């Protein structure tokens, strides 16, 4: 199970006890915000894309949407999201629990600047009913991200 991979990864960092699991689903931004009793923007949603021969993840604020022009400017191609079925196979986490931790080898991770207006955010932990509160510095450290990018627009 994907959450167990994330739990094992966070155990090596000494923060596995900070993972929160809910009785209700947190598979979407509105559901996660309800479970955590926070604003939707603080949900750090992880979006998965095909980028030429690679798979990339972009972690963005829950209230942000991909801006196609910014994405094309950043990556030189049109945004093409992974399908529901491809996510678990190519990333290592199923839709609803996709996160930037304990992902398959070769998956590149980017953090979108839409997150920078918050001191802490809540990414999922590999299941559709989990999250962890992390500072942006912790998100940087634990995600193994490549760089901060600006490919979103906020509502």
């Amino acid at each position: 199970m994907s959450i167990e991979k994330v739990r094992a990864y966070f155990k090596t960092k000494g923060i596995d006890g900070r993972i929160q699991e809910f009785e209700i689903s947190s598979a979407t931004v509105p559901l996660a915000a309800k479970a955590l009793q926070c604003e939707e923007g603080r949900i750090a949603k992880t979006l998965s894309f095909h980028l030429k021969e690679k798979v990339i993840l972009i972690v963005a604020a829950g209230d942000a949407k991909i801006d196609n022009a910014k994405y094309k400017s950043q990556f030189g191609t049109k945004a093409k999201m992974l399908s529901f079925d491809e996510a678990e196979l190519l990333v290592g986490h199923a839709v609803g629990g996709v996160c930037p931790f304990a992902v398959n080898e070769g998956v590149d991770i980017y953090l979108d600047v839409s997150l920078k207006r918050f001191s802490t955010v809540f990414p999922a932990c590999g299941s559709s009913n989990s999250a962890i509160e992390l500072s942006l510095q912790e998100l940087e450290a634990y995600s193994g991200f490549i760089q901060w990018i600006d490919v979103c627009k906020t509502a």
Side-chain angles (χ1 to χ4, degrees), residues 46-66:
T46 304
L47 305 168
S48 50
F49 297 89
H50 289 285
L51 180 61
K52 300 176 178 94
E53 304 302 314
K54 294 196 66 71
V55 171
I56 66 167
L57 299 178
I58 298 174
V59 186
D63 60 355
K65 296 189 181 331
I66 293 294

Side-chain angles (χ1 to χ4, degrees), residues 20-126:
Q20 300 178 55
E21 291 186 80
F22 315 109
E23 296 293 321
I24 59 174
S25 174
S26 59
T28 65
V29 169
L31 290 173
K34 183 178 178 184
L36 288 155
Q37 299 181 336
C38 72
E39 63 184 287
E40 291 185 5
R42 288 187 61 210
I43 304 303
K45 65 182 176 184
T46 304
L47 305 168
S48 50
F49 297 89
H50 289 285
L51 180 61
K52 300 176 178 94
E53 304 302 314
K54 294 196 66 71
V55 171
I56 66 167
L57 299 178
I58 298 174
V59 186
D63 60 355
K65 296 189 181 331
I66 293 294
D67 180 310
N68 290 321
K70 287 181 175 182
Y71 184 98
K72 188 166 187 174
S73 175
Q74 175 72 43
F75 295 111
T77 189
K78 211 168 117 174
K80 184 177 186 303
M81 290 192 80
L82 269 59
S83 71
F84 187 89
D85 293 331
E86 291 173 315
E88 187 167 16
L89 177 69
L90 298 176
V91 175
H93 302 303
V95 171
V98 176
C99 62
F101 319 111
V103 297
N104 291 345
E105 197 170 315
V107 174
D108 290 342
I109 298 163
Y110 296 89
L111 304 179
D112 187 78
V113 297
S114 59
L115 294 166
K116 287 194 171 189
R117 61 200 150 113
F118 304 107
S119 56
T120 63
V121 294
F122 295 94
C125 291

